Amino acid sequence: ETYELSAVNPIAFEQSALEVVAGMAFSILFNNKNEGVPHNVAIHEGNAGDVGAEIWKGEIFPGIGTRTYNVPALTAGTYAYICTVHPNMVGTLTVK
């Protein structure tokens, strides 16, 4: 499966939540819509309100542009996705 995420102005993810299938690798098509501003997607333990340890990180790149990130299978639970460059950019990843 491929899921879409976008970075938009102001510095934020356009999608505040994603839901993926547990135990299956997946892809994130990340669209950085902020011209000249670097962003990425990283997955952390915890949730958007209480971000824990990083468990996966995608390449940082300046916009405008897209990247496809291949994410390994995750166990069921709730995770946070953040931008490493802008930690206030956060969303909830639910793995079922």
Side-chain angles (χ1 to χ4, degrees), residues 10-65:
I11 305 299
F13 285 115
E14 189 169 12
Q15 301 81 1
S16 61
L18 286 179
E19 186 174 302
V20 303
V21 177
M24 294 183 62
F26 61 96
S27 296
I28 296 173
L29 176 60
F30 181 56
N31 186 357
N32 182 349
K33 298 179 180 179
N34 294 142
E35 185 172 355
V37 180
H39 291 300
N40 76 329
V41 178
I43 298 173
H44 287 247
E45 294 176 346
N47 58 56
D50 184 24
V51 177
E54 181 180 282
I55 58 174
W56 176 89
K57 181 170 72 173
E59 169 194 8
I60 298 170
F61 68 98
I64 292 175

Side-chain angles (χ1 to χ4, degrees), residues 5-8 12-15 30 40-41 81-83 89-91:
L5 274 179
S6 303
V8 294
F13 285 115
E14 189 169 12
Q15 301 81 1
F30 181 56
N40 76 329
V41 178
Y81 58 86
I82 70 163
C83 172
M89 284 179 64
V90 64

